[in-house]
Amino acid sequence: HVQLVESGGGLVQPGGSLRLSCEASGNTANTNCMGWFRQAPGKEREPVAAIYTGADSTHYVDSVKGRFTISQDGSRTTVYLQMNTLTPEDTAMYYCAAGFVPFSKGWVEATNFDYWGQGTQVTVS
């Protein structure tokens, strides 16, 4: 089992920045990918970004490309999401996820992730 704990959310003005962190513990050897998803009120959960931890391969949805950066620490158990140039449309609950995820677009499917954090709220206003 893997436990995920997110932190770093908050209230920020449009154009501002936030950095989210996700710390994984437990049997992370069973995972190859960590991702960030978000869900705004009244909307479906959507993928934001992911990193395949072994290859250090990063992926983003089009709406955040050039603004968000996903990265990991040297131990590959903490993943960060640096969010710049935030807009009100980025307001959502952000969830960290981990799992053994197929390559080639597997990261966009929430069902491919077995472990989820409790979420951290990001509000841009």
Side-chain angles (χ1 to χ4, degrees), residues 29-118:
N30 288 339
T31 66
N32 71 340
C33 183
M34 293 183 71
W36 288 95
F37 289 75
R38 66 187 181 186
Q39 187 167 19
K43 295 186 177 181
E44 293 187 356
R45 182 172 49 185
E46 62 177 2
V48 176
I51 183 167
Y52 286 87
T53 53
D56 205 26
S57 170
T58 59
H59 305 270
Y60 303 90
V61 294
D62 287 345
S63 61
V64 307
K65 282 181 180 178
R67 300 189 299 124
F68 291 12
T69 303
I70 189 170
S71 61
Q72 59 180 337
D73 70 348
S75 68
R76 299 177 180 174
T77 59
T78 300
V79 170
Y80 306 98
L81 186 68
Q82 178 66 43
M83 305 185 296
N84 298 328
T85 319
L86 286 161
T87 74
E89 288 68 37
D90 296 313
T91 295
M93 184 71 79
Y94 283 69
Y95 296 93
C96 178
F100 197 87
V101 179
F103 291 92
S104 184
K105 288 292 189 179
W107 64 274
V108 303
E109 297 293 339
T111 54
N112 285 328
F113 291 83
D114 298 312
Y115 308 105
W116 293 82
Q118 80 287 354

